[in-house]
Amino acid sequence: VRRITVLLGPRSYDVIVGQGLLDQAGSLLPETPGTRRVVILTDSGVGEIWGARAEAALKTRGEIVAVQVASGEASKVLAVAEQVMDRMVSEKVGRSDLLVTLGGGMVSDLGGFVASVYHRGIRVAHLPTSLLGQVDAAVGGKTGVNLGGGKNLAGTYHQPIAVIADTETLATLPEREFTSGLAEVIKCGLALEPSLLDLLEPAAPAVAAREPEVLAELVAACVRIKAGVVAQDEFDQDRRAMLNYGHTLGHALEAESGFGVLHGEAIAVGMVASAHLAADSGLLDEGEVRRHISLLERFRLPVTASFDPEAVLERILLDKKRRGEGRWVLLKGLGHPVVVPVSEEAALTAIQKVLV
Amino acid sequence: VRRITVLLGPRSYDVIVGQGLLDQAGSLLPETPGTRRVVILTDSGVGEIWGARAEAALKTRGEIVAVQVASGEASKVLAVAEQVMDRMVSEKVGRSDLLVTLGGGMVSDLGGFVASVYHRGIRVAHLPTSLLGQVDAAVGGKTGVNLGGGKNLAGTYHQPIAVIADTETLATLPEREFTSGLAEVIKCGLALEPSLLDLLEPAAPAVAAREPEVLAELVAACVRIKAGVVAQDEFDQDRRAMLNYGHTLGHALEAESGFGVLHGEAIAVGMVASAHLAADSGLLDEGEVRRHISLLERFRLPVTASFDPEAVLERILLDKKRRGEGRWVLLKGLGHPVVVPVSEEAALTAIQKVLV
């Protein structure tokens, strides 16, 4: 069992990573004085597979209130958050009670949001069951729901009291979703901790076989990296932007595809475009660009996509304007992210290299 | 002009109280680097009276995005918050922009909530135009929307960057709403600062005439009291409960009436019941109970109401159970609030004295 502490003063908490932890969730969570009810929020897909075990593990912590939402991004909206809260009101869930999310990033984003606003904030713990959830979404306290105009446009910062990542639950992930999660692992290596790549490359067969101990090592390494960044910049003022390597183009591709392209697939292509951009301005050499591509291909992630470059660029410019960000995360050598302004022309040139 | 600082470390801000301040809002607000757009959120009633002046005052601070919701408590829900945010997305409101609320407690609660979650939090300033808003709702950072099961069951803590209370705007309030606001002023005096009562009693004719300078003095006094409490307990862990004098029965009466009884009317009756309760346990003497009644009557507030005591008690018990609170705020002498357990029998006896 690996335990990583996210250091945030009074909001510090542990991320616990290992094989078979779901059944121990009741004893692994920290004390929660006053808790009488434990809401377990999950989606229909995950609930069917892991719901009963989570309920059995957590019933020592309070009366279980099981709440299920439909699987898929369409549930990550205010109307569903309201349905969940209405149910919590009718079950008399109070300020001292605990909400536990069981599922992927959609569930931890939605459940984190609900926990942050219900009675102006109750405790939340995450049991992420997807690779993306374990390495990224469940750690760091960002919550979110989507608005008509875009993903995660409404949300809060609400740190969990603990995150328990059981790498056994990754065994049942659909292949494409598992592979998509690997893109965030590769991102951590490329952008922040190149030594992770040395761990990752030889482990490809074990990763493909989803060996829980190997996955635990990778997840723990990513969480350690993310925890370090979050500890320096809880409220996303500067440093945390470095976690968005590949995300500028990635978000645009996700949106342009109507979310038919998964998050990890989109940022994989986004990282390749960013590598080309960096090479064009002399920040990376061609060998480093090739390493991006070979790593992603080795883990069966896409390095190109089929979209109209002009339309995608338009979407990026709009998004950046709306968010008040004008710049991209590029690498000045592997593991050294910098935030730099990029001209429309330079962006288009790089985008054209990955959109075929 | 009176300026009260709410001391909350990096979240400190000023509440500025005076006559005719609305026109100066653009220069009174602190600097907001990066702001290009200023969203003015108001309701249809207030917007018609004060909207144009607020827009004129704030246009020096950015491009105005005027957003209006329907007047009334029915707008304080997640669906309306989402409509407001969808509009903000379409107007390209970004992380560095500013939201200004113009209106009563409904508008500042809703707008504060929207500002706290839009892009995970943007700046908000309040221009409260109701007495309740100026002395209570707009100060302290609590935001909220209603769920089907009750008022303010979803919300956040999100401190404004400033509150500007122009007592001239109180001139156009409907009589009943103005009177209702006075109940919170009286509450501040009875529960926390009896010297305020010595200011208030002789001022009754000037208050009834809504003389802006007299109102400014009262509003500033109440804000000073509330600011002191909030500074000690931003996140409502203990001391802030003292602000809820009269609210246990008050909330139940509001709900039982389907919100036909206004908040201030309900807490007026609630304070009388709490005074009886305190007298029954020897915490207050009969003269202090009479002072409650005579003060409230002098300002034309109700001291009794017509509801079934058993039904109201049932509602209180349910509400306390749901919120995980078991106790009432009573006074051990004027200005000395204490939180004490109250038996069902004692509560019923006191409630019966005010429900006729």
Side-chain angles (χ1 to χ4, degrees):
Chain A
V1 173
R2 293 157 175 86
R3 194 179 276 266
I4 300 107
T5 301
V6 185
L7 280 169
L8 293 167
R11 294 181 296 287
S12 297
Y13 57 96
D14 283 355
V15 181
I16 309 165
V17 183
Q19 180 178 359
L21 300 185
L22 189 56
D23 299 322
Q24 305 167 43
S27 54
L28 287 173
L29 291 180
E31 290 293 303
T32 55
T35 293
R36 291 172 308 174
R37 289 179 178 77
V38 177
V39 179
I40 302 180
L41 178 72
T42 190
D43 67 29
S44 39
V46 174
E48 181 152 337
I49 305 175
W50 303 107
R53 276 175 64 180
E55 290 178 31
L58 290 165
K59 70 183 180 201
T60 56
R61 303 301 296 263
E63 188 187 318
I64 301 292
V65 176
V67 182
Q68 226 175 69
V69 299
S71 298
E73 195 73 10
S75 288
K76 219 178 93 169
V77 292
L78 283 172
V80 173
E82 184 161 30
Q83 286 164 17
V84 172
M85 290 192 281
D86 283 340
R87 174 77 194 288
M88 288 164 67
V89 172
S90 74
E91 298 280 355
K92 302 190 174 51
V93 174
R95 276 177 79 165
S96 301
D97 289 334
L98 172 66
L99 190 152
V100 176
T101 72
L102 173 74
M106 183 280 280
V107 172
S108 57
D109 282 3
L110 175 71
F113 180 75
V114 164
S116 71
V117 304
Y118 185 76
H119 285 225
R120 295 198 184 92
I122 65 168
R123 298 179 190 103
V124 68
H126 299 303
L127 308 182
T129 59
S130 75
L131 185 53
L132 183 61
Q134 294 189 355
V135 301
D136 190 36
V139 178
K142 279 192 184 179
T143 82
V145 294
N146 304 328
L147 297 177
K151 280 185 73 171
N152 294 327
L153 287 182
T156 52
Y157 295 91
H158 189 61
Q159 300 296 341
I161 61 164
V163 178
I164 301 172
D166 182 348
T167 51
E168 253 180 52
T169 62
L170 304 178
T172 54
L173 278 186
E175 188 65 29
R176 201 176 151 206
E177 206 186 314
F178 178 76
T179 301
S180 171
L182 286 172
E184 288 282 357
V185 179
I186 293 171
K187 178 207 75 179
C188 284
L190 288 170
L192 295 153
E193 189 60 62
S195 68
L196 176 57
L197 303 178
D198 302 327
L199 192 76
L200 192 58
E201 280 169 325
V207 169
R210 307 196 196 173
E211 289 180 14
E213 271 308 309
V214 173
L215 294 179
E217 194 173 350
L218 290 176
V219 169
C222 288
V223 168
R224 216 170 279 122
I225 293 163
K226 180 155 185 184
V229 173
V230 169
Q232 290 172 57
D233 180 26
E234 182 176 6
F235 299 111
D236 203 3
Q237 299 299 302
D238 40 53
R239 178 90 187 136
R240 214 163 156 159
M242 306 309 174
L243 295 170
N244 286 338
Y245 183 53
H247 284 55
T248 293
L249 177 58
H251 283 150
L253 293 178
E254 279 182 273
E256 189 71 11
S257 75
F259 299 94
V261 172
L262 297 185
H263 180 69
E265 295 166 347
I267 69 160
V269 178
M271 289 190 283
V272 176
S274 299
H276 286 306
L277 251 175
D280 292 345
S281 19
L283 297 169
L284 284 184
D285 63 36
E286 284 304 325
E288 291 164 323
V289 177
R290 279 196 304 275
R291 187 150 188 216
H292 275 69
I293 294 171
S294 66
L295 249 171
L296 292 166
E297 285 182 332
R298 178 159 204 165
F299 289 93
R300 300 171 186 275
L301 281 155
V303 294
T304 60
S306 299
F307 292 98
D308 173 34
E310 304 270 357
V312 170
L313 179 63
E314 193 55 39
R315 212 175 262 275
I316 288 173
L317 297 174
L318 251 172
D319 194 48
K320 290 209 169 283
K321 193 170 173 192
R322 195 179 55 205
R323 291 176 188 261
E325 303 161 353
R327 304 180 312 160
W328 291 55
V329 180
L330 297 183
L331 303 187
K332 192 174 175 176
L334 298 187
H336 295 284
V338 288
V339 177
V340 296
V342 168
S343 72
E344 283 185 37
E345 297 68 32
L348 186 60
T349 303
I351 290 171
Q352 282 167 335
K353 290 182 187 164
V354 297
L355 296 188
V356 292
Chain B
V1 172
R2 293 158 177 86
R3 193 178 277 265
I4 300 106
T5 302
V6 184
L7 281 170
L8 293 167
R11 295 182 296 286
S12 297
Y13 58 95
D14 282 354
V15 181
I16 310 165
V17 184
Q19 180 177 358
L21 299 184
L22 190 56
D23 299 322
Q24 305 167 43
S27 54
L28 288 173
L29 290 181
E31 291 293 305
T32 56
T35 293
R36 291 173 308 174
R37 289 179 179 77
V38 177
V39 179
I40 302 181
L41 178 71
T42 189
D43 68 30
S44 39
V46 174
E48 180 152 337
I49 307 176
W50 303 107
R53 277 174 65 179
E55 289 178 32
L58 290 166
K59 69 183 180 200
T60 57
R61 302 300 297 263
E63 189 188 316
I64 301 291
V65 176
V67 182
Q68 227 176 67
V69 299
S71 299
E73 195 72 11
S75 287
K76 219 177 93 169
V77 292
L78 282 172
V80 173
E82 184 160 30
Q83 286 166 17
V84 172
M85 291 192 281
D86 284 340
R87 173 78 192 289
M88 290 164 67
V89 173
S90 73
E91 299 280 356
K92 301 189 176 50
V93 174
R95 274 179 78 166
S96 301
D97 289 334
L98 172 66
L99 190 153
V100 176
T101 72
L102 173 73
M106 183 279 282
V107 172
S108 58
D109 281 2
L110 175 71
F113 181 75
V114 164
S116 71
V117 303
Y118 185 75
H119 285 225
R120 295 199 185 91
I122 66 170
R123 298 179 190 101
V124 68
H126 299 303
L127 308 182
T129 59
S130 74
L131 185 53
L132 184 61
Q134 295 188 353
V135 301
D136 189 36
V139 177
K142 279 191 184 180
T143 83
V145 293
N146 305 327
L147 297 178
K151 280 185 74 171
N152 294 326
L153 287 182
T156 52
Y157 294 91
H158 189 61
Q159 300 296 341
I161 62 165
V163 177
I164 300 173
D166 181 348
T167 51
E168 252 180 55
T169 62
L170 303 179
T172 54
L173 278 187
E175 188 66 29
R176 200 175 150 208
E177 206 186 315
F178 178 76
T179 300
S180 171
L182 288 173
E184 288 283 357
V185 179
I186 293 171
K187 177 208 76 178
C188 284
L190 288 171
L192 294 153
E193 188 60 62
S195 69
L196 176 58
L197 303 178
D198 303 326
L199 192 75
L200 191 60
E201 279 170 325
V207 169
R210 306 197 196 173
E211 289 180 14
E213 271 309 308
V214 173
L215 294 180
E217 194 172 349
L218 289 177
V219 168
C222 287
V223 168
R224 216 169 279 122
I225 292 163
K226 180 156 185 184
V229 173
V230 169
Q232 290 172 57
D233 180 27
E234 182 176 6
F235 299 109
D236 204 1
Q237 300 299 304
D238 40 52
R239 177 88 187 139
R240 213 162 157 161
M242 306 309 174
L243 295 169
N244 286 337
Y245 183 53
H247 283 55
T248 294
L249 178 57
H251 283 150
L253 293 178
E254 280 182 273
E256 189 71 12
S257 75
F259 298 95
V261 172
L262 297 185
H263 180 69
E265 296 167 345
I267 68 161
V269 178
M271 289 190 284
V272 176
S274 299
H276 285 306
L277 252 174
D280 292 346
S281 18
L283 296 169
L284 284 183
D285 63 36
E286 284 305 325
E288 290 164 322
V289 177
R290 279 196 303 276
R291 188 150 188 213
H292 275 70
I293 294 171
S294 66
L295 250 172
L296 293 166
E297 285 183 332
R298 178 159 204 167
F299 289 93
R300 299 171 186 275
L301 281 156
V303 294
T304 60
S306 298
F307 292 98
D308 172 35
E310 305 270 356
V312 169
L313 178 64
E314 193 55 37
R315 211 175 261 278
I316 289 173
L317 297 175
L318 251 173
D319 193 49
K320 290 211 168 280
K321 192 170 177 193
R322 196 179 55 207
R323 292 178 187 260
E325 303 161 353
R327 305 182 309 162
W328 291 56
V329 180
L330 297 183
L331 303 187
K332 191 174 174 173
L334 298 186
H336 295 284
V338 286
V339 176
V340 293
V342 168
S343 71
E344 284 185 39
E345 297 67 33
L348 186 61
T349 303
I351 290 170
Q352 282 168 335
K353 289 182 186 164
V354 297
L355 296 188
V356 292

